[in-house]
Amino acid sequence: MTNLHKTNLISNPQIQINNQGGQLTVDGGMTLITEFLHKLHFDERKFCQHDKPSLLKQLLYQLMAGYDNNSATNTLQHDQAPALMLNTNKLASQPTISRFINSLTEQNIDEFNRLLLHFSDAEFERRNQQALILDVDSTHADTYGEQEVASYNSHYGTDGFHPILAFDNITGTLLSAKQRPGNVYTSRDANEFLRPLLKHYQEFSCDMNILIRGDSGFATLAMYELCDEANCQF
């Protein structure tokens, strides 16, 4: 009897076919199905190649490199350098990046803010920083089309969002951000925005000397009461 030469599957080189006995199976014919599906590229996820961490990393790279428009992705796809730096064969397309952004939830935003605190804690520990000058301010982001909660802001004379931000003045580190409709006043809910930050840094270091700094728009009774409650300066 002629022995069949050892044959490795194209779809999985670790699988070997021969007729010399040993490890036997009555389902060996399934290898033909495996090879057939492999030829059809059945296992290649043509339309789902990127997980959320890789999409977030690509988006951050683009923003830090100055590509603040998602459509820039279509140009970057033809440049090998970004793909090599992100350790991928191909960058995500503009529609994929846009779908990723639209899929973010309020829980994701909370996770991003916790990530900011994690980074700032690491920096404060590295510097052994015991003073925090907490700069609070609002900014305006123009919008186009029918953006959700976007509205007209008479101060800026345009439609958009009016988020509130908190930075550490000493290191320039962004500590937290909160999205708000475009027509709210500067200090709207500022005390509730800062309350968890103050609690976090008081627990981070009982010796942390905290100074809250903002313009006259934040000089409200609620803000003064918060500073008295948290025993910090304003």
Side-chain angles (χ1 to χ4, degrees):
M1 181 177 68
T2 303
N3 288 334
L4 177 71
H5 292 292
K6 292 181 180 179
T7 303
N8 294 84
L9 296 190
I10 298 175
S11 57
N12 188 345
Q14 295 183 0
I15 298 178
Q16 206 174 70
I17 302 175
N18 63 60
N19 67 347
Q20 296 181 14
Q23 296 179 345
L24 303 177
T25 176
V26 297
D27 297 313
M30 295 177 65
T31 57
L32 298 177
I33 301 175
T34 303
E35 292 291 84
F36 174 69
L37 293 178
H38 179 74
K39 288 289 186 180
L40 295 178
H41 305 288
F42 187 83
D43 292 329
E44 294 184 11
R45 299 188 302 163
K46 184 176 181 181
F47 301 108
C48 184
Q49 298 177 339
H50 310 281
D51 56 22
K52 284 191 173 182
S54 64
L55 290 173
L56 175 60
K57 189 175 182 180
Q58 177 180 330
L59 181 59
L60 291 175
Y61 267 61
Q62 290 181 197
L63 292 173
M64 287 186 287
Y67 297 101
D68 56 356
N69 194 316
N70 292 344
S71 61
T73 303
N74 295 328
T75 301
L76 292 173
Q77 282 187 316
H78 301 289
D79 189 338
Q80 290 298 316
L84 289 172
M85 287 182 287
L86 290 167
N87 194 27
T88 182
N89 294 326
K90 186 178 182 181
L91 295 181
S93 64
Q94 176 271 318
T96 301
I97 291 292
S98 296
R99 284 193 296 269
F100 167 68
I101 295 174
N102 291 333
S103 72
L104 297 177
T105 65
E106 290 187 12
Q107 180 181 352
N108 296 136
I109 302 302
D110 291 338
E111 291 169 346
F112 284 135
N113 276 321
R114 287 198 295 271
L115 190 61
L116 289 176
L117 289 180
H118 173 75
F119 289 147
S120 62
D121 288 352
E123 178 63 10
F124 292 167
E125 286 181 353
R126 186 186 70 83
R127 298 167 58 95
N128 192 26
Q129 184 170 325
Q130 296 299 319
L132 173 64
I133 301 178
L134 201 162
D135 280 339
V136 57
D137 203 356
S138 62
T139 187
H140 189 271
D142 292 349
T143 58
Y144 306 91
E146 300 296 327
Q147 297 286 335
E148 186 177 359
V149 308
S151 52
Y152 183 77
N153 188 299
S154 59
H155 178 76
Y156 294 97
T158 183
D159 291 335
F161 303 130
H162 196 194
I164 186 171
L165 308 167
F167 291 86
D168 169 43
N169 177 264
I170 297 176
T171 62
T173 304
L174 175 64
L175 303 177
S176 187
K178 182 179 181 180
Q179 181 66 292
R180 302 183 303 179
N183 60 354
V184 301
Y185 186 64
T186 298
S187 61
R188 172 75 68 84
D189 298 328
N191 57 315
E192 294 305 318
F193 169 68
L194 292 177
R195 189 184 304 278
L197 276 179
L198 295 177
K199 183 176 184 295
H200 173 82
Y201 286 110
Q202 286 173 333
E203 293 176 351
F204 173 77
S205 173
C206 60
D207 296 326
M208 181 74 77
N209 182 22
I210 302 176
L211 167 67
I212 298 179
R213 189 168 66 173
D215 60 25
S216 59
F218 292 93
T220 64
L221 177 60
M223 185 66 73
Y224 292 137
E225 290 176 344
L226 174 64
C227 291
D228 287 340
E229 175 188 326
N231 193 29
C232 63
Q233 303 175 65
F234 182 84

